[in-house]
Amino acid sequence: MKRFHILTIFPEFFEGFKNTGIVSRAVKNGIVEINAVNLRDYTTDKHKTVDDVVYGGGPGMLLKPEPIFRAYDEISKEKKPYVLITEPWGRKFDQKFAYELSEKDEIVIICGRYEGVDERVKAIVDEEVSIGDFVLSGGEPAAVVIMDAVIRLIPGVVGDKDSLRADSFSEGLLGYPNYTRPPVYRGMEVPEVLRSGNHKLIEIWRRWKQIENTYKKRPDLLKKTNLSEKDRIILESIQSGTNFEDFIEKYNV
Ligand code: SAM
């Protein structure tokens, strides 16, 4: 069982997420637990104050350290969790990061709000994480993005393991395009090869499309990906303007 503890002042934010799609199934099946911790429950004053003014002046408020430390102390009583804090300047979240987190049993995600969080909280943080070069009004959407990407990597959450392997970024390449019925819609046809029933050919076509997609849309990824000899032949064919049908004929596949 993987457990996420989300330290937030808006625990209700996670209700829809917990009750939707494969995440809800994973929760119901006891594969994952999402514990949205209300920081107000860890305040000591009667107003349940979670924020305060910023030292040095300036606009806005900051999340106070005490409720976060108290919540952390309780969560980490039995076992030290892996602690993330959402920050726009953190390590950029990507599929590799998601795979790393899928190996951890107990993860805390601290969600900032307002101007952010008192810097002393970093004493309990293992990594700062950003979901991109833009500024959100709080860490909650980032926490949802992170959890969603990690949860689908947990064995047993996504039914077909092959579908994970073919996902964009999993093996360094982008994914391939897919079609469903009807075979012709508004004059647009599903590629013949996908209707051929020839599974070997379909596999080659999908690999071709993955490489083509990556070459056209994210060529930077190709430099970091270990391509097999067959992949290199496909890439060279795409680069030289060969189409799939001519490639099949040329290599007699
Ligand atoms: N004062 C901060 C700054 O100078 O960048 C911005 C604070 S932002 C309005 C409030 C909170 O949203 C942050 O503390 C962080 O938890 C979260 N946040 C904002 N942008 C984010 C991003 N790109 N990735 C992850 N979390 C983000």
Side-chain angles (χ1 to χ4, degrees):
M1 146 95 77
K2 182 182 294 301
R3 209 169 274 132
F4 288 97
H5 306 272
I6 313 302
L7 273 47
T8 173
I9 58 168
F10 295 118
E12 66 277 14
F13 186 92
F14 299 92
E15 284 310 305
F17 174 64
K18 278 200 269 190
N19 291 310
T20 308
I22 64 160
V23 172
S24 115
R25 219 180 327 130
V27 170
K28 281 186 192 120
N29 291 340
I31 297 173
V32 68
E33 186 183 320
I34 298 168
N35 177 23
V37 178
N38 190 347
L39 287 172
R40 289 190 199 281
D41 294 343
Y42 292 88
T43 52
T44 45
D45 63 314
K46 77 168 191 279
H47 298 294
K48 298 186 181 293
T49 312
V50 287
D51 58 331
D52 210 335
V53 294
V54 182
Y55 267 114
M61 304 293 274
L62 213 55
L63 287 186
K64 288 161 68 61
E66 306 95 309
I68 295 175
F69 274 92
R70 273 193 217 109
Y72 171 79
D73 286 345
E74 188 170 310
I75 292 164
S76 56
K77 254 185 210 149
E78 281 170 27
K79 191 177 171 197
K80 195 217 161 298
Y82 196 73
V83 183
L84 299 170
I85 186 166
T86 53
E87 288 283 17
W89 54 73
R91 174 179 165 197
K92 195 79 71 71
F93 189 65
D94 59 12
Q95 195 67 5
K96 180 171 174 285
F97 203 161
Y99 270 109
E100 287 172 25
L101 295 178
S102 73
E103 304 283 313
K104 318 258 182 223
D105 294 335
E106 202 99 12
I107 297 172
V108 169
I109 307 180
I110 302 170
C111 300
R113 275 275 156 179
Y114 316 121
E115 288 307 309
V117 177
D118 185 292
E119 192 61 20
R120 287 167 290 187
V121 162
K122 304 294 165 65
I124 53 167
V125 167
D126 292 296
E127 266 190 292
E128 298 178 324
V129 53
S130 164
I131 60 161
D133 290 348
F134 41 79
V135 177
L136 301 164
S137 47
E140 288 79 5
V144 163
V145 166
I146 294 163
M147 284 191 286
D148 192 276
V150 172
I151 289 170
R152 63 197 307 283
L153 297 179
I154 305 171
V157 171
V158 171
D160 185 353
K161 266 198 276 162
D162 286 346
S163 97
L164 284 185
R165 221 168 43 81
D167 271 348
S168 296
F169 312 111
S170 286
E171 291 184 338
L173 297 174
L174 299 183
Y176 51 78
N178 283 303
Y179 298 82
T180 183
R181 280 175 287 199
V184 183
Y185 182 66
R186 296 196 175 191
M188 295 176 283
E189 271 191 48
V190 173
E192 179 65 39
V193 52
L194 297 178
R195 292 180 281 155
S196 68
N198 182 337
H199 294 294
K200 173 124 196 297
L201 198 59
I202 292 171
E203 202 182 303
I204 298 168
W205 182 86
R206 285 179 168 164
R207 194 67 183 169
W208 172 284
K209 285 292 173 188
Q210 277 194 277
I211 295 171
E212 184 181 56
N213 234 354
T214 313
Y215 173 63
K216 286 186 177 160
K217 295 170 188 168
R218 289 291 305 274
D220 57 301
L221 295 177
L222 282 174
K223 292 188 199 115
K224 299 182 234 157
T225 308
N226 279 329
L227 293 180
S228 69
E229 192 52 38
K230 278 186 197 153
D231 289 339
R232 296 216 158 272
I233 295 171
I234 294 178
L235 178 61
E236 279 158 22
S237 305
I238 292 166
Q239 284 169 327
S240 67
T242 307
N243 68 31
F244 182 69
E245 289 70 25
D246 292 342
F247 167 80
I248 292 301
E249 214 172 282
K250 182 171 169 193
Y251 289 96
N252 202 16
V253 244

